[in-house]
Amino acid sequence: MSTKVAFIGLGIMGYPMAENLLKAGYDVTAYNRSPEKAQALASSGGRAAASVAEAVREAEVIITMVPDSPDVEEVLTGEDGILGNAAQGALWVDTSTIRPDVTMSLAEQAREQGLRPVDAPVSGGEQGAIDAALSIMVGGSEEDFEAARPVLEAVGRTIVHVGPSGSGQTVKAANQLIVAGNIGMLAEALVFLEAHHVDTDAALKVLGGGLAGSKVLDQKGQKMLDRSFDPGFRLELHHKDMGIVTAAAREAGVVAPLAALVAQLVGSTVRQGNGHLDHSGLFTIVEQLSGRSGDSSDTTGGGR
Ligand code: NAP
């Protein structure tokens, strides 16, 4: 009989992950706050639950994929939540990106209730979720990691145990710092190139082949040139993640000056009402700071 999986949160990432679990032969019961998405998954062979409690009651593995720390807290400890309704010994795999300290505390509560908690935040974006090619940084005991591995292999390709509960989230925070910094530098480079009237398609091609090349450049460069910022990964979620990075750095007694600067730029883009854009939309604030908003031609007399 196939393993029973409960999946909570069928958003941009959760839906394709749940679909990949179905494709891998898991018996998936899904709950989503807005019920339509769970019903859509039911038409692909899953089952729709009307509540978290109903989804998790018979599950051997429970996966959560919701936006932020309070959302995970609510799904876990709420009246109708996982703690009060899951079977003893069930694995709880949280793939959301949340604060490491919250993860540590929730993992402790889960253990006290007889659950086996694993934090397993992911990287690779929507396309990585669709392709079951996510990179997954896992925190928890060695034994629980091994128990969770088959399920994670159905949604990801690079799956690494990085330490005890909370460690996965700490590594994910570092991931988000690197990605935001890369996006910020790429945006500055493209605004700079446009101001010099350089052929930006040619520039992207050659930059991509050298040391400046990166997955960020490959995936986000053309989006910036096209001003095409449909999410993907929403800026407001990256704003949340930059808050996690800066707080965790402070807590550890280290400074992260570039993180602080990029966090301010991300925060400003969100405050301008652009939190719904893909994180490549950080380009808009870099453009604005140079007085070149919304126009790829040189309107300022800048350049040479
Ligand atoms: P999303 O598209 O906004 O989806 C969030 C899902 O959580 C939705 O199904 C939403 O339900 C549900 N939800 C929100 N609050 C809830 C609550 N309090 N209780 C129950 N369900 C709730 O977000 P996403 O892009 O999939 O991101 C999910 C997580 O993955 C975040 O932590 C994010 O940082 C991380 N992540 C995202 C990406 C990416 O590229 N998008 C990549 C790596 C990691 P409704 O449908 O009712 O709104």
Side-chain angles (χ1 to χ4, degrees):
M1 257 184 35
S2 52
T3 305
K4 289 189 166 72
V5 176
F7 205 107
I8 318 290
L10 300 171
I12 287 178
M13 297 297 283
Y15 194 90
M17 289 167 71
E19 273 192 317
N20 284 327
L21 286 163
L22 284 172
K23 281 184 204 151
Y26 286 96
D27 176 356
V28 181
T29 301
Y31 167 79
N32 194 67
R33 195 177 52 179
S34 351
E36 312 80 53
K37 292 183 197 162
Q39 280 146 17
L41 193 79
S43 63
S44 311
R47 264 183 290 205
S51 64
V52 173
E54 185 188 328
V56 304
R57 214 161 270 137
E58 293 182 10
E60 296 157 88
V61 182
I62 298 160
I63 302 179
T64 43
M65 190 42 148
V66 293
D68 203 351
S69 305
D71 307 315
V72 175
E73 240 163 337
E74 190 185 317
V75 167
L76 186 75
T77 65
E79 217 172 289
D80 191 32
I82 296 169
L83 285 187
N85 294 283
Q88 288 283 308
L91 267 177
W92 168 45
V93 182
D94 183 28
T95 59
S96 325
T97 304
I98 66 169
R99 283 169 33 197
D101 59 324
V102 171
T103 288
M104 283 187 260
S105 144
L106 294 181
E108 199 46 50
Q109 291 181 55
R111 263 186 222 103
E112 280 164 12
Q113 295 288 318
L115 299 186
R116 296 183 290 155
V118 168
D119 49 301
V122 306
S123 179
E126 184 182 15
Q127 199 56 50
I130 292 168
D131 298 341
L134 295 167
S135 190
I136 312 181
M137 30 228 111
V138 188
S141 73
E142 186 69 48
E143 202 186 348
D144 293 345
F145 167 66
E146 287 305 333
R149 192 202 281 275
V151 164
L152 296 176
E153 281 173 347
V155 297
R157 201 173 283 158
T158 307
I159 299 150
V160 182
H161 184 214
V162 294
S165 291
S167 310
Q169 296 295 354
T170 304
V171 175
K172 174 67 185 182
N175 183 86
Q176 293 307 83
L177 163 57
I178 296 168
V179 172
N182 264 281
I183 289 178
M185 293 304 277
L186 178 63
E188 287 186 16
L190 293 183
V191 169
F192 163 84
L193 289 169
E194 285 183 352
H196 279 283
H197 308 293
V198 167
D199 176 345
T200 42
D201 291 334
L204 262 190
K205 193 171 168 194
V206 70
L207 289 173
L211 194 54
S214 67
K215 288 188 181 164
V216 165
L217 185 145
D218 293 344
Q219 291 178 22
K220 306 296 180 185
Q222 198 59 48
K223 283 170 84 78
M224 291 181 188
L225 293 181
D226 295 344
R227 275 65 169 168
S228 161
F229 302 125
D230 286 346
F233 184 61
R234 287 182 283 118
L235 266 163
E236 63 195 0
L237 289 177
H238 218 139
H239 183 47
K240 162 201 60 134
D241 294 346
M242 294 316 288
I244 294 172
V245 174
T246 44
R250 188 182 167 94
E251 196 183 306
V254 298
V255 298
L258 296 179
L261 181 56
V262 181
Q264 293 295 313
L265 291 173
V266 172
S268 174
T269 320
V270 170
R271 293 307 305 159
Q272 306 257 351
N274 285 329
H276 61 289
L277 299 182
D278 185 69
H279 52 171
S280 52
L282 188 62
F283 182 86
T284 59
I285 198 77
V286 174
E287 219 183 12
Q288 262 182 52
L289 289 170
S290 290
R292 299 177 59 84
S293 255
D295 188 352
S296 58
S297 65
D298 184 352
T299 55
T300 62
R304 287 177 200 281

